[in-house]
Amino acid sequence: FYTTYPRRPFITHHLPPSSPITLPILGFPSLSLAIYPNATTQQPLADRAVRHAVETLSVSYFDVAPEYGDGIAQSRLGPALRPYRSRVFLAAKTMYRTAIDAEIDLNHTLDALTTEYLDLYQFHSLSAMDEVDAILAPGGAMETFRKAKSDGRIRAIGFSAHDEKVAVRMIRTGWVDTCMFPINFAAYHYGKVGQKVLEAASDHGVGVIALKSGAKGRLTNATGTPVTVPPKGRFRHIPEWKREEMIRFPVMTSKDHPTEWYEPEEDEEYLMKLVVWSLNQRGVTAVLPPGDLGIFETVARGVLRKCGCFTVV
């Protein structure tokens, strides 16, 4: 019944026009595996989820970050993905902004994922210009990224961001191959968020992964649960600056979908309309659906049914 997902050009930067690296239009949100903290009793559940994604739903693009569950998601994904590693595109991230810290974090991630290389390594969740300054400065994380790319530990450089000015500046450096950014119907049309990013990415040959395509709206006191920030030194994979930011700007997670920081659309018809819209925006290569295994299943099956609905980019 199932076929593979359509593939689109993704990594074209510094490559001949005739040989871009392509990517399927749907990725697996490995954030969903952060609900399995116990390696002994819950690794089989993660194994089952990944096996189902690959063998039943034909997924071959996986994205993860050490910040997801403070290391839990990548620790569950690595063993689960081991039988399929040669068949999938594997992307990871780091929130560390200096070369030394990014090097340490990269090595931790490679170990956790039981792999010798990443197809894509990304600066995670850029939100301010001073973060970009730190990354690009002497001794900044870009040094680690470029070194790792030259020695084969990573094959492409990307970033995720939630601020348009920050994203456009990173795209214009000429050093990144890909960009993750919220490309959501409501944000795009009513907040005008995303248009400049897609334009800059298209101008510079940078592939785009759409985040929050299935978002219904912001969390409220009725739909969200405040995140409890641990004391200093308790996080293993999240930088101290991020912990302090979580205190200054409190965040919530969904009551119904605890791995989500926004309210996902649950109605299948409307959810698929949102996802299809994002995939049909010029320059978008793929979407990462909400990090909930049930919603991911709905999106995966829906996308496979609607393969003829997507424009070629």
Side-chain angles (χ1 to χ4, degrees), residues 105 119-120 168 191 204 216 220 236 263 289 306:
D105 208 33
D119 295 287
L120 173 65
V168 169
H204 291 79
K216 181 179 180 179
T220 65
R236 296 175 300 154
E263 184 179 2
K306 294 176 176 291

Side-chain angles (χ1 to χ4, degrees), residues 25-274:
I25 61 176
L26 181 71
F28 180 86
S30 300
L31 169 63
S32 60
L33 302 181
I35 63 173
Y36 301 135
N38 191 301
T40 302
T41 62
Q42 295 181 311
Q43 184 62 50
L45 299 176
D47 295 346
R48 187 184 310 161
V50 170
R51 181 169 60 250
H52 177 68
V54 175
E55 297 184 3
T56 303
L57 300 175
S58 302
V59 173
S60 59
Y61 163 38
F62 287 78
D63 179 87
V64 74
E67 291 75 28
Y68 298 161
D70 194 23
I72 293 171
Q74 67 178 13
S75 294
R76 297 292 83 77
L77 180 62
L81 202 58
R82 191 181 295 122
Y84 312 106
R85 179 63 187 97
S86 63
R87 296 163 48 185
V88 303
F89 185 98
L90 179 56
K93 311 182 185 82
T94 181
M95 276 189 175
Y96 289 94
R97 307 309 188 208
T98 68
I100 293 174
D101 290 335
E103 176 73 22
I104 294 170
D105 208 33
L106 172 58
N107 289 328
H108 284 163
T109 290
L110 291 171
D111 288 343
L113 293 174
T114 68
T115 186
E116 294 181 352
Y117 72 94
L118 298 169
D119 295 287
L120 173 65
Y121 198 43
Q122 300 152 109
F123 302 103
H124 191 186
S125 192
L126 299 179
S127 59
M129 287 296 186
D130 59 358
E131 294 178 57
V132 181
D133 291 338
I135 286 168
L136 300 180
M142 184 62 81
E143 291 182 1
T144 290
F145 275 58
R146 297 183 73 185
K147 180 178 181 293
K149 188 175 181 181
S150 68
D151 64 29
R153 287 179 296 159
I154 68 175
R155 297 187 173 177
I157 295 173
F159 70 92
S160 68
H162 295 83
D163 179 278
E164 271 200 317
K165 292 181 179 179
V166 168
V168 169
R169 182 180 172 195
M170 283 296 291
I171 289 169
R172 288 176 176 169
T173 64
W175 289 343
V176 299
D177 304 293
T178 69
C179 163
M180 275 188 178
F181 196 82
I183 304 296
N184 171 271
F185 177 83
Y188 190 95
H189 283 287
Y190 301 112
K192 306 301 180 184
V193 176
Q195 298 175 7
K196 293 178 181 178
V197 173
L198 291 179
E199 291 170 2
S202 179
D203 290 343
H204 291 79
V206 169
V208 177
I209 300 298
L211 298 175
K212 296 184 172 60
S213 63
K216 181 179 180 179
R218 296 176 183 270
L219 292 171
T220 65
N221 290 333
T223 59
T225 300
V227 172
T228 300
V229 181
K232 184 176 181 179
R234 292 286 297 276
F235 278 138
R236 296 175 300 154
H237 298 279
I238 297 175
E240 175 58 19
W241 69 263
K242 184 62 178 179
R243 191 191 71 87
E244 293 174 355
E245 181 182 274
M246 293 168 68
I247 295 172
R248 293 195 307 273
F249 305 103
V251 296
M252 293 188 288
T253 56
S254 169
K255 290 181 179 178
D256 294 331
H257 308 281
T259 54
E260 284 305 327
W261 295 286
Y262 58 87
E263 184 179 2
E265 178 59 67
E266 294 179 302
D267 181 276
E268 182 174 353
E269 179 182 357
Y270 287 110
L271 175 62
M272 290 313 303
K273 285 182 178 180
L274 289 171

